[in-house]
Amino acid sequence: MNNDVTVLLARHAEALALVTDRVHAVRADQWDDPTPCTEWSVRDLVNHLTAEQLWVPALVTDGSGPDDVGDTFDGDVLGERPRVTWDAAARAARKAFAAEGALERTVVLSYGETPAVAYCAQMTADAVVHAWDLSRAIGAPEHLPHDLVAFALDEVTPYADGLAGSGLFAPPVEPPPADTPQSRLLAMLGRRG
């Protein structure tokens, strides 16, 4: 396994661990609270993250595409035990990406064929940013680990300009005067840190 893949898998595992920490910190009375993702409650955000992880084994391990999976992961995937469901989905995603040769494959995403290594990098950056969203929503520490911020910045910067047009991200905002890598990342994705 080359060093780039080793670093990617490490950042992916760290991002999932950070989200796991935040999911387990959600109090019973916080699941309906708002998040920086304006249309999502805490439960909606955790549901989104969980559904994303559920896609990974289908795409990476099974070689399925969006047409094969269909609406399997639409709607509520959390059920009655959101933390348990998140934990299982995160474990399965991590295992799928870490399997021998998995990151050498090509996966089919909604926008076409993509190297699995690029898919893993996108999923890692997404988890980092949503960990911040969840932190802010539940009042957990918002400071993200430096290595994860640096990774997410490197990943998102080349295509950040097109993200708002996808409808999945808010338009970028001006970073605060005390600009930091984390505030730049958040501003790029329409968040005020």
Side-chain angles (χ1 to χ4, degrees):
M1 191 178 297
N2 71 40
N3 191 47
D4 290 344
V5 168
T6 301
V7 169
L8 174 58
L9 290 174
R11 294 298 89 83
H12 179 255
E14 291 161 14
L16 291 182
L18 182 60
V19 173
T20 298
D21 179 71
R22 298 309 187 259
V23 169
H24 283 264
V26 177
R27 295 189 321 261
D29 64 343
Q30 292 181 310
W31 289 102
D32 293 325
D33 287 357
T35 70
C37 304
T38 55
E39 302 197 3
W40 286 344
S41 67
V42 168
R43 185 179 174 91
D44 294 332
L45 176 57
V46 174
N47 189 71
H48 163 75
L49 284 161
T50 303
E52 282 192 324
Q53 306 320 307
L54 292 171
W55 274 92
V56 175
L59 299 175
V60 176
T61 306
D62 302 340
S64 299
D67 292 339
D68 303 314
V69 176
D71 62 1
T72 303
F73 305 125
D74 289 357
D76 177 32
V77 297
L78 293 178
E80 297 297 315
R81 302 174 69 195
R83 290 177 189 86
V84 171
T85 305
W86 160 260
D87 290 348
R91 262 193 316 275
R94 186 173 173 198
K95 181 179 176 185
F97 279 131
E100 183 72 32
L103 294 181
E104 297 165 15
R105 299 178 187 142
T106 297
V107 296
V108 180
L109 303 178
S110 59
Y111 52 85
E113 290 189 354
T114 303
V117 69
Y119 175 45
C120 184
Q122 292 165 14
M123 290 287 286
T124 303
D126 191 65
V128 170
V129 174
H130 284 320
W132 180 86
D133 292 330
L134 193 51
S135 297
R136 172 148 290 187
I138 66 171
E142 295 179 16
H143 178 76
L144 299 169
H146 171 76
D147 287 347
L148 289 178
V149 170
F151 178 89
L153 260 177
D154 286 348
E155 171 60 24
V156 172
T157 299
Y159 54 81
D161 290 343
L163 290 175
S166 72
L168 300 174
F169 292 88
V173 297
E174 192 67 31
D179 191 21
T180 65
Q182 179 170 316
S183 66
R184 264 195 316 281
L185 173 66
L186 296 173
M188 193 181 301
L189 299 173
R191 292 152 169 88
R192 295 189 189 279

